[in-house]
Amino acid sequence: MDSTEKQHFTPSGDIGGTAGYAGSAIASHTKGVEKAAEKYLNDSLLLNQLTERVYQLLLEDMRLQRERVNNYGHPRW
């Protein structure tokens, strides 16, 4: 192909639509998610462990975000 020819690309689907991907993934795993949710909702110990873990992850994420904000604009050396 020389430099005067134009390339034509045909998208294989909706380029900007990521919701379609999430929707198909969620729809295909509905049974597993339903079983897991039922299991955790019926067992208070498991639910407590899950909420504690989610809380730990939230705190860790907030700490990392604070570090990024504090380090933004500072020279590396």
Side-chain angles (χ1 to χ4, degrees), residues 2-39:
D2 63 32
S3 61
T4 59
E5 292 182 38
K6 292 183 180 180
Q7 283 184 311
H8 296 284
F9 295 103
T10 305
S12 60
D14 184 11
I15 294 174
T18 57
Y21 297 115
S24 64
I26 289 171
S28 65
H29 293 20
T30 308
K31 294 283 186 195
V33 172
E34 187 178 320
K35 277 185 172 180
E38 190 174 321
K39 175 182 168 184

Side-chain angles (χ1 to χ4, degrees), residues 5-71:
E5 292 182 38
K6 292 183 180 180
Q7 283 184 311
H8 296 284
F9 295 103
T10 305
S12 60
D14 184 11
I15 294 174
T18 57
Y21 297 115
S24 64
I26 289 171
S28 65
H29 293 20
T30 308
K31 294 283 186 195
V33 172
E34 187 178 320
K35 277 185 172 180
E38 190 174 321
K39 175 182 168 184
Y40 278 86
L41 289 174
N42 290 331
D43 189 339
S44 61
L45 180 61
L46 279 177
L47 185 59
N48 189 36
Q49 290 174 345
L50 175 64
T51 55
E52 284 295 319
R53 182 64 180 137
V54 169
Y55 183 68
Q56 289 171 358
L57 292 171
L58 174 67
L59 290 177
E60 177 70 11
D61 184 54
M62 289 172 56
R63 184 185 65 77
L64 291 171
Q65 287 183 33
R66 253 192 321 269
E67 283 181 12
R68 280 193 293 266
V69 168
N70 289 337
N71 291 334

